[in-house]
Amino acid sequence: MAWTKFQVLLAVVMVVTGSINTLSTKWADKMTSVGSDGVDRPFVHPFLQACGMFMGEILCLIAFRIIYACAVRRGDNSEHEITILRGNQNFNPLIFLPPALCDMTATSIMYIGLNLTYASSFQMLRGSVIVFTGMLSVAFLQRVLKWREWSGIGFIISGLAVVGLSDFVSGAHQGSHGPNDIITGDELIIIAQVITATQMVYEEKFINKHNIPALQAVGWEGIFGLSALGLLLVPFYYIKVGAPFSGNPRGVLEDPIDGLIQLRNNPWLICAFLGTVFSIAFFNFAGVSVTKELSATTRMVLDSVRTLVIWAVTLALRWQAFHYLQIVGFSLLILGMCIYNKITLIPCIRKLDSLCRSSVDNSDTDVLVTSTPASEATDTEDGDHSHA
């Protein structure tokens, strides 16, 4: 079955905004600006960037509230019919506090790691969350993994090892960060996935049963995450750390004042920061919609495409050097994810081929029927709606 134009748009928005999110964060890491001491220095403020990500998640809740209010105002019960609004509204928001704290911790650690390693490696290594989620689900959800899932985990672990090796080899020849910093960044990203897996297992055990609209859930986690991290910025302002975890003049874990001054002194830095904020909002919106309009499997495939886009852009911008081990590692990761999620590659290729053919046919039809009523071009948005 061919995708509708609306579904194609959602897929494109998810891949593009997801790629922009990682690339804009790394772009900010690579820029310099005059700080609070009057010295031009690199922008190293991972916790401030994590606050920006939570701001983007809060935008999802604002968008949900606006759409819900408009639907209620119409008075035709459309709030129960619109896919992204459908769900339970009677719940205690505090159930999102534990996953928000996990999200805050994992995101902050990942952004520290991203500052030390490559954007493509950052995205690839995030695939390790499948390994830890599978193991934690066995321990706390009493789930029994099949041999197929264990073999998928094996391929993913192999891919992670190859990606780490490629970073070590590449880091020996380039960049302001040496191989030790790059490997440290890779390790931090993998550690963060343990926390992310904990968050996923918690959400499956305690939150999914409430059937809460996904955008609303993302927004509440953003509120709690921003609140908690905002409070933690106070002690972080006084905790002394060494290189490479501090790039501010006071040598502390985070100096938000210095970060805001750097943002004010470099307009491009503001663009990168806002890119992180708005891209995460659109990415979450598109991701939730893809899951509901298509499937969670499609979302995983598109997320893999996002990894490929980020890798291609970083190579084009010469943010990293090409190494053949990157292809090997990426291929093993994708193969492992496909095996774990029971995705057969040939049907996916056929679906993409039919999508391209249908797009060409639709464009030809639009040219031939310019004199026919426009009502024939109306798209439907009905489909298989599964909870995110």
Side-chain angles (χ1 to χ4, degrees):
M1 181 179 178
W3 289 1
T4 64
K5 292 180 181 179
F6 178 68
Q7 291 170 340
V8 173
L9 177 62
L10 286 176
V12 172
V13 170
M14 179 182 167
V15 172
V16 172
T17 57
S19 302
I20 290 175
N21 182 255
T22 299
L23 292 170
S24 60
T25 304
K26 186 61 180 179
W27 184 31
D29 292 341
K30 297 182 76 66
M31 279 192 277
T32 62
S33 181
V34 177
S36 56
D37 59 345
V39 176
D40 189 65
R41 63 177 70 249
F43 185 80
V44 185
H45 295 280
F47 295 99
L48 191 61
Q49 289 174 305
C51 287
M53 190 211 69
F54 287 122
M55 292 177 189
E57 291 186 352
I58 293 173
L59 290 178
C60 292
L61 181 59
I62 295 174
F64 176 87
R65 290 297 186 186
I66 292 174
I67 298 172
Y68 189 83
C70 293
V72 171
R73 191 172 182 178
R74 285 201 295 264
D76 56 358
N77 291 325
S78 58
E79 68 272 16
H80 302 298
E81 302 298 329
I82 300 176
T83 303
I84 60 174
L85 301 181
R86 196 178 302 155
N88 178 28
Q89 298 294 318
N90 186 21
F91 61 91
N92 186 350
L94 288 177
I95 63 175
F96 292 106
L97 180 58
L101 294 178
C102 290
D103 193 11
M104 175 202 70
T105 307
T107 301
S108 300
I109 293 175
M110 281 192 290
Y111 279 176
I112 295 174
L114 177 58
N115 183 61
L116 298 175
T117 190
Y118 307 113
S120 60
S121 300
F122 168 82
Q123 195 63 38
M124 291 181 191
L125 293 173
R126 291 179 68 178
S128 63
V129 69
I130 293 179
V131 177
F132 302 115
T133 302
M135 293 181 176
L136 290 176
S137 65
V138 171
F140 297 102
L141 300 179
Q142 286 74 50
R143 179 170 297 151
V144 178
L145 297 181
K146 301 176 182 178
W147 68 267
R148 168 183 54 79
E149 294 167 319
W150 282 116
S151 60
I153 288 176
F155 277 107
I156 292 173
I157 293 175
S158 301
L160 294 173
V162 175
V163 170
L165 179 60
S166 70
D167 284 350
F168 182 81
V169 174
S170 300
H173 302 289
Q174 62 160 318
S176 57
H177 293 295
N180 290 339
D181 287 352
I182 293 173
I183 294 301
T184 299
D186 290 350
E187 291 172 346
L188 287 174
I189 294 168
I190 293 176
I191 291 172
Q193 302 318 301
V194 179
I195 304 172
T196 301
T198 304
Q199 174 189 348
M200 290 182 174
V201 171
Y202 173 89
E203 289 176 344
E204 182 172 347
K205 188 175 182 65
F206 297 107
I207 294 181
N208 287 359
K209 61 184 178 182
H210 294 285
N211 191 29
I212 300 169
L215 284 180
Q216 199 171 14
V218 169
W220 277 112
E221 289 186 6
I223 289 176
F224 286 120
L226 181 62
S227 301
L229 188 54
L231 292 174
L232 287 174
L233 288 179
V234 177
F236 288 174
Y237 185 78
Y238 298 98
I239 298 176
K240 298 285 185 179
V241 294
F245 301 109
S246 175
N248 54 75
R250 298 179 59 251
V252 294
L253 188 58
E254 181 58 281
D255 189 342
I257 298 175
D258 178 69
L260 294 175
I261 292 174
Q262 284 190 293
L263 286 171
R264 184 190 64 187
N265 291 332
N266 189 340
W268 288 113
L269 200 52
I270 296 177
C271 291
F273 187 82
L274 292 178
T276 300
V277 174
F278 288 102
S279 62
I280 195 65
F282 281 100
F283 174 71
N284 277 311
F285 182 87
V288 168
S289 301
V290 164
T291 301
K292 291 182 177 294
E293 287 285 334
L294 298 166
S295 66
T297 299
T298 303
R299 183 174 181 175
M300 197 283 292
V301 173
L302 292 174
D303 210 44
S304 300
V305 174
R306 175 169 69 119
T307 303
L308 186 60
V309 170
I310 292 171
W311 181 39
V313 172
T314 55
L315 289 175
L317 295 176
R318 296 187 179 181
W319 287 359
Q320 69 178 96
F322 173 79
H323 197 282
Y324 73 93
L325 287 176
Q326 296 164 349
I327 297 179
V328 177
F330 180 70
S331 301
L332 287 172
L333 286 172
I334 296 300
L335 179 60
M337 291 177 189
C338 290
I339 294 174
Y340 185 90
N341 290 282
K342 203 176 181 180
I343 299 175
T344 307
L345 294 178
I346 294 179
C348 291
I349 295 173
R350 289 175 178 171
K351 182 179 289 187
L352 290 175
D353 180 64
S354 64
L355 172 62
C356 295
R357 291 177 182 272
S358 64
S359 300
V360 173
D361 292 340
N362 289 337
S363 62
D364 292 341
T365 304
D366 291 341
V367 174
L368 293 173
V369 299
T370 53
S371 60
T372 61
S375 59
E376 294 181 10
T378 303
D379 289 317
T380 61
E381 295 181 6
D382 298 328
D384 181 24
H385 303 306
S386 57
H387 183 65

mmCIF file of all heavy atoms in Angstrom, residues 240-247 251:
data_model
loop_
_atom_site.group_PDB
_atom_site.id
_atom_site.type_symbol
_atom_site.label_atom_id
_atom_site.label_comp_id
_atom_site.label_asym_id
_atom_site.label_seq_id
_atom_site.Cartn_x
_atom_site.Cartn_y
_atom_site.Cartn_z
ATOM 1 N N LYS A 240 33.978 22.412 40.820
ATOM 2 C CA LYS A 240 35.171 22.509 39.973
ATOM 3 C C LYS A 240 35.460 21.170 39.293
ATOM 4 O O LYS A 240 35.427 20.113 39.925
ATOM 5 C CB LYS A 240 36.383 22.910 40.819
ATOM 6 C CG LYS A 240 36.278 24.267 41.486
ATOM 7 C CD LYS A 240 36.470 25.391 40.485
ATOM 8 C CE LYS A 240 36.497 26.753 41.169
ATOM 9 N NZ LYS A 240 36.717 27.858 40.206
ATOM 10 N N VAL A 241 35.715 21.216 37.978
ATOM 11 C CA VAL A 241 36.090 20.017 37.227
ATOM 12 C C VAL A 241 37.254 20.383 36.309
ATOM 13 O O VAL A 241 37.513 21.558 36.037
ATOM 14 C CB VAL A 241 34.912 19.473 36.390
ATOM 15 C CG1 VAL A 241 33.791 18.974 37.272
ATOM 16 C CG2 VAL A 241 34.405 20.525 35.418
ATOM 17 N N GLY A 242 37.931 19.373 35.848
ATOM 18 C CA GLY A 242 39.056 19.609 34.946
ATOM 19 C C GLY A 242 38.692 19.370 33.500
ATOM 20 O O GLY A 242 37.565 18.994 33.171
ATOM 21 N N ALA A 243 39.666 19.586 32.627
ATOM 22 C CA ALA A 243 39.489 19.311 31.196
ATOM 23 C C ALA A 243 39.336 17.799 31.009
ATOM 24 O O ALA A 243 39.896 17.007 31.786
ATOM 25 C CB ALA A 243 40.681 19.838 30.421
ATOM 26 N N PRO A 244 38.575 17.359 30.017
ATOM 27 C CA PRO A 244 37.894 18.148 28.979
ATOM 28 C C PRO A 244 36.435 18.453 29.302
ATOM 29 O O PRO A 244 35.666 18.778 28.407
ATOM 30 C CB PRO A 244 37.971 17.215 27.766
ATOM 31 C CG PRO A 244 37.818 15.844 28.365
ATOM 32 C CD PRO A 244 38.491 15.903 29.720
ATOM 33 N N PHE A 245 36.039 18.327 30.578
ATOM 34 C CA PHE A 245 34.632 18.468 30.940
ATOM 35 C C PHE A 245 34.231 19.901 31.248
ATOM 36 O O PHE A 245 33.072 20.174 31.532
ATOM 37 C CB PHE A 245 34.312 17.573 32.140
ATOM 38 C CG PHE A 245 34.585 16.119 31.883
ATOM 39 C CD1 PHE A 245 35.642 15.481 32.507
ATOM 40 C CD2 PHE A 245 33.804 15.400 31.001
ATOM 41 C CE1 PHE A 245 35.900 14.148 32.269
ATOM 42 C CE2 PHE A 245 34.051 14.067 30.757
ATOM 43 C CZ PHE A 245 35.108 13.441 31.381
ATOM 44 N N SER A 246 35.176 20.824 31.196
ATOM 45 C CA SER A 246 34.857 22.222 31.436
ATOM 46 C C SER A 246 35.586 23.089 30.421
ATOM 47 O O SER A 246 36.787 22.931 30.206
ATOM 48 C CB SER A 246 35.256 22.636 32.865
ATOM 49 O OG SER A 246 35.055 24.013 33.051
ATOM 50 N N GLY A 247 34.828 24.015 29.814
ATOM 51 C CA GLY A 247 35.436 24.935 28.864
ATOM 52 C C GLY A 247 35.167 26.374 29.224
ATOM 53 O O GLY A 247 35.414 27.275 28.426
ATOM 54 N N GLY A 251 36.227 27.181 35.247
ATOM 55 C CA GLY A 251 36.589 25.786 35.399
ATOM 56 C C GLY A 251 35.593 24.972 36.193
ATOM 57 O O GLY A 251 35.973 24.024 36.889
#
